[in-house]
Amino acid sequence: MKKDNIPLFFATLQAANPTPETELEYATPFELLAAVLLSAQATDVGVNKATRKLFPVANTPQAILRLGVEGLEEYIKTIGLYRSKAKHLIETCRMLVELHGGEVPRTRAELEALPGVGRKTANVVLNVAFGEATIAVDTHIFRVGNRTGLAPGKTPLEVELKLEKRVPFEFRLHAHHWLILHGRYICVARKPRCWECAVHQLCDYKPKTPAPK
């Protein structure tokens, strides 16, 4: 994608959705952290179904620790990889209580030190909970970055670093959500819905997918 097209690309996405939000349901930074940790290789819809039952009972590190691994598993067993996620979340809660007074830390290094929390999860928490202009590259953003020519790269980190250089500052805060939603609903994996895409003329992908007959 030509550099000159990038501002219009994001301005178009912004016009369609001025204040995009995560589709994960949360009310506090800890609920967001827990939801994102649980969402690895799972859908936001599936995570929300589980946390709607979990959070009314336990929505703090202390409360989840009281549940224990087996108690937590009962609430999240509908989510893929729930056993390992339960262990990670319990250990994360223990570290939050012991090292951070039960609060979610606000630095990347401290977040990534938590079990089950990688760069992508840390970026989501920094962006959504604390308003930092980070971009978490998941499978959707990796695909959109490469397919459109916006930020081609062989690894998620390569795509992320290229996005940081190419996304204009005024769009940086919400870029993560615009790109993930675009990849989830329009620029989908198997066959992009080019005929519904508002930015198809700015995109390098060829040939464009025609509308179904």
Side-chain angles (χ1 to χ4, degrees), residues 5-6 20-21 26 31-32 46 54 60 72 77 91 100 104-106 113 119 125 150 152 154 161 181 184 210:
N5 287 340
I6 294 176
E21 297 179 351
Y26 75 98
E31 286 187 2
L32 176 67
L54 172 64
T60 65
L72 177 57
K77 61 186 179 183
E91 287 305 308
H100 303 287
V104 176
R106 299 182 66 135
R119 186 177 181 89
V125 173
L150 174 64
K154 294 180 179 179
L161 296 177
L181 292 171
R184 185 174 287 167

Side-chain angles (χ1 to χ4, degrees), residues 15-38:
N17 188 0
T19 54
E21 297 179 351
T22 178
E23 293 184 323
L24 289 171
E25 297 171 0
Y26 75 98
T28 66
F30 174 74
E31 286 187 2
L32 176 67
L33 173 62
V36 177
L37 194 153
L38 294 174

Side-chain angles (χ1 to χ4, degrees), residues 26-208:
Y26 75 98
T28 66
F30 174 74
E31 286 187 2
L32 176 67
L33 173 62
V36 177
L37 194 153
L38 294 174
S39 72
Q41 299 180 49
T43 66
D44 289 358
V45 172
V47 172
N48 289 338
K49 285 181 180 179
T51 57
R52 284 173 197 156
K53 297 177 181 178
L54 172 64
F55 288 160
V57 175
N59 70 338
T60 65
Q62 296 88 340
I64 286 182
L65 283 174
R66 287 194 291 270
L67 284 179
V69 173
E70 291 184 0
L72 177 57
E73 284 179 353
E74 284 300 306
Y75 286 97
I76 67 170
K77 61 186 179 183
T78 55
I79 302 174
L81 307 174
Y82 75 95
R83 293 187 189 278
S84 62
K85 289 177 181 179
K87 292 176 182 176
H88 283 151
L89 185 50
I90 287 288
E91 287 305 308
T92 284
C93 290
R94 185 170 287 115
M95 287 183 66
L96 290 176
V97 170
E98 293 176 356
L99 302 178
H100 303 287
E103 299 296 321
V104 176
R106 299 182 66 135
T107 70
R108 181 191 302 283
E110 289 173 316
L111 285 167
E112 289 187 19
L114 299 171
V117 176
R119 186 177 181 89
K120 185 187 78 171
T121 298
N123 276 338
V124 173
V125 173
L126 290 170
N127 178 258
V128 177
F130 301 130
E132 294 193 21
T134 55
I135 301 175
V137 177
D138 67 350
T139 56
H140 298 298
I141 295 180
F142 184 79
R143 179 175 65 254
V144 171
N146 277 284
R147 183 185 276 165
T148 64
L150 174 64
K154 294 180 179 179
T155 66
L157 180 58
E158 194 176 336
V159 171
E160 178 187 336
L161 296 177
K162 198 162 287 186
L163 285 169
E164 287 182 352
K165 289 182 179 179
R166 302 199 83 199
V167 177
F169 180 78
E170 63 267 29
F171 300 116
R172 195 83 55 80
L173 180 62
H174 293 309
H176 162 79
H177 285 123
W178 285 320
L179 292 174
I180 197 171
L181 292 171
H182 192 65
R184 185 174 287 167
Y185 298 111
I186 301 296
C187 199
V188 295
R190 284 194 173 184
K191 187 179 290 186
R193 303 173 68 84
C194 301
W195 69 93
E196 293 182 345
C197 179
V199 290
H200 72 276
Q201 291 180 321
L202 306 171
C203 162
D204 289 352
Y205 179 72
K206 293 176 183 177
K208 308 297 186 189

